[in-house]
């Protein structure tokens, strides 16, 4: 589905020229990226100098079907050519079908009691969940708990739930009432909970913190303790959801008995189209009433059609099974690489721990990029892998062997 003419035009200037233009035109919130990408196909992308890369990050756990997947391109093109945007003064078959599908996907068995709010990003999905939490118990429950090292987004409400001081402090005062407790510590959670707590926000695996899983049993304990305290359990599956763990939701895999009150989604949901969702069940599904929340774009027909195509394709191509099989096989090979200390995470969300002598991870990531592999360093001792679900065995193995070379060279240097 690529269009050579467009790609050629886009690539007419080399990487460095584009970077200079970027720096002169774009706000400096990200630093100037090293590469200007012009085209993608499957698990591969190309930069403006014509270099090819295996994309093992997938737009940060977004492009689950890879780049330019024909089913996604067709669904988006067809919807945009039929009805592109209508606002939430109207609804569309695509929006309604997606809502029904997500209710059943996130809460199998409780679908009748579940309702979805469609937004445009992960941070917005969490803003909706934050407002649901505020509505739960009202003034009698002013406190909200989140975990140390949590990442929930960059808008003011989601930022209030995000732990990293460097992200938060320049923007204080943030919405109040949020308290951080040590991640994975059941006693700390028990001590913090009380009748004045509205909700606990948890990522089943802390992605931005370096793909850090919670200890076994934590989600079960969190469900039991929040229920006893009358507080909502809100799971942020923005990064872990939509099949990345090998199950539709990571909590289905990691804590199968646990039914949260709210689950937030985004990244993989649209396969690259911007969309987010807060999916709630039971009482939590009824807490936002008419006029209490809104969005112009949220749930727009094109984004909804994209999400439906992603879900359909994951089903048709058996990609959940693929994620589990490739993820397990790859992790077993990666842990055998000298210089790798551990491989955390599940499915195709992995944190590769690096030994002291071979880091920092940012330098390792830069060398890997030079050799044609895109990964990122969420921590100084960790590389993150979050590739498309359609990644081939050959590409995964090629990475493992290049990683082994890079780490061996760095250990020897
Ligand atoms: C990426 C992420 C977010 C924020 O999503 P955006 O789409 O960047 O706003 C929130 N929570 C988690 C767990 C994430 O990984």
């Amino acid at each position: 589905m690529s269009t050579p003419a467009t790609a050629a035009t886009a690539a007419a200037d080399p990487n460095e020229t584009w970077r200079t233009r970027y720096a002169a035109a774009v706000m400096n919130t990200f630093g100037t990226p090293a590469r200007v990408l012009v085209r993608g196909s499957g698990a591969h992308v190309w930069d403006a100098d014509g270099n090819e890369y295996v994309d093992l990050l997938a737009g940060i756990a977004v492009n689950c079907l890879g780049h330019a997947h024909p089913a996604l391109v067709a669904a988006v093109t067809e919807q945009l050519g039929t009805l592109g945007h209508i606002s939430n003064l109207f609804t569309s078959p695509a929006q309604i079908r997606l809502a029904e599908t997500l209710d059943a996907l996130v809460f199998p068995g409780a679908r009748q009691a579940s309702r979805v709010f469609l937004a445009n990003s992960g941070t917005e999905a969490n803003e909706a969940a934050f407002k649901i939490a505020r509505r739960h118990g009202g003034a009698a429950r002013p406190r909200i708990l989140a975990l140390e090292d949590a990442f929930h987004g960059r808008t003011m409400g989601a930022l209030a739930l995000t732990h990293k001081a460097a992200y938060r402090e320049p923007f204080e005062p943030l919405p109040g009432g949020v308290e951080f407790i040590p991640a994975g510590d059941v006693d700390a959670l028990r001590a913090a909970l009380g009748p004045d707590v509205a909700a606990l926000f948890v990522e089943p695996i802390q992605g931005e913190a370096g793909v850090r899983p919670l200890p076994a049993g934590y989600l079960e304990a969190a469900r039991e303790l929040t229920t006893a305290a009358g507080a909502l359990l809100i799971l942020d599956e923005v990064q872990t959801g939509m099949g990345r763990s090998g199950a539709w939701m990571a909590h289905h895999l990691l804590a199968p008995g646990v039914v949260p009150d709210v689950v937030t989604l985004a990244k993989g949901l649209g396969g690259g189209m911007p969309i987010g969702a807060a999916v709630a069940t039971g009482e939590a599904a009824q807490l936002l009433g008419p006029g209490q929340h809104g969005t112009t774009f949220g749930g727009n027909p094109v984004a909804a059609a994209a999400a439906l195509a992603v879900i359909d394709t994951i089903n048709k191509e058996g990609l959940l099974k693929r994620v589990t099989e490739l993820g397990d096989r790859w992790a077993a090979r990666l842990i055998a690489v000298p210089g790798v200390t551990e491989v955390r995470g599940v499915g195709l969300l992995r944190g590769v721990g690096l030994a002291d002598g071979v880091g920092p991870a940012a330098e390792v990531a830069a060398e890997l990029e030079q050799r044609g592999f895109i990964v990122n360093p969420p921590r100084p001792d960790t590389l993150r892998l979050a590739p498309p679900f359609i990644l081939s065995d050959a590409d995964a193995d090629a990475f493992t062997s290049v990683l082994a070379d890079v780490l061996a060279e760095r250990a020897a240097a």
Side-chain angles (χ1 to χ4, degrees), residues 85-151:
H85 175 80
I86 53 176
S87 90
N88 283 297
L89 300 176
F90 302 92
T91 184
S92 65
Q95 184 186 70
I96 296 164
R97 281 171 45 225
L98 177 61
E100 291 169 349
T101 304
L102 285 179
D103 286 340
L105 209 66
V106 176
F107 294 104
R111 137 124 183 72
Q112 293 309 323
S114 307
R115 299 289 185 272
V116 59
F117 180 84
L118 292 168
N120 312 288
S121 64
T123 203
E124 283 174 81
N126 285 325
E127 292 292 332
F130 196 127
K131 286 176 87 169
I132 290 171
R134 282 281 200 254
R135 291 287 301 143
H136 177 65
R141 292 183 181 269
R143 297 170 60 218
I144 294 178
L145 304 179
L147 302 189
E148 290 178 2
D149 294 321
F151 182 87

Side-chain angles (χ1 to χ4, degrees), residues 148-177:
E148 290 178 2
D149 294 321
F151 182 87
H152 295 295
R154 302 291 205 132
T155 53
M156 296 299 265
L159 188 58
L161 299 161
T162 291
H163 184 240
K164 198 174 186 172
Y167 292 172
R168 304 160 46 79
E169 283 170 359
F171 304 102
E172 287 172 349
L174 295 167

Side-chain angles (χ1 to χ4, degrees), residues 76 79 84 94 98 119-120 269-270 273-275 297-308:
V76 166
Q79 185 62 55
L98 177 61
N120 312 288
L269 178 56
M273 289 296 287
I275 182 168
F297 293 118
N300 117 343
V302 177
L308 284 166

Side-chain angles (χ1 to χ4, degrees), residues 121-123 126 151-153 203 208 236 238-239 266-267:
S121 64
T123 203
N126 285 325
F151 182 87
H152 295 295
E203 298 158 85
E208 295 307 298
D236 179 345
V238 166
Q239 186 157 166
K267 294 197 164 91

Side-chain angles (χ1 to χ4, degrees), residues 63 65-66 68-78 270-273 305-307 309-310 313:
N63 301 301
L65 304 182
H69 191 290
L72 186 55
V73 173
V76 166
T77 308
E78 159 92 32
M273 289 296 287
V310 165
T313 304

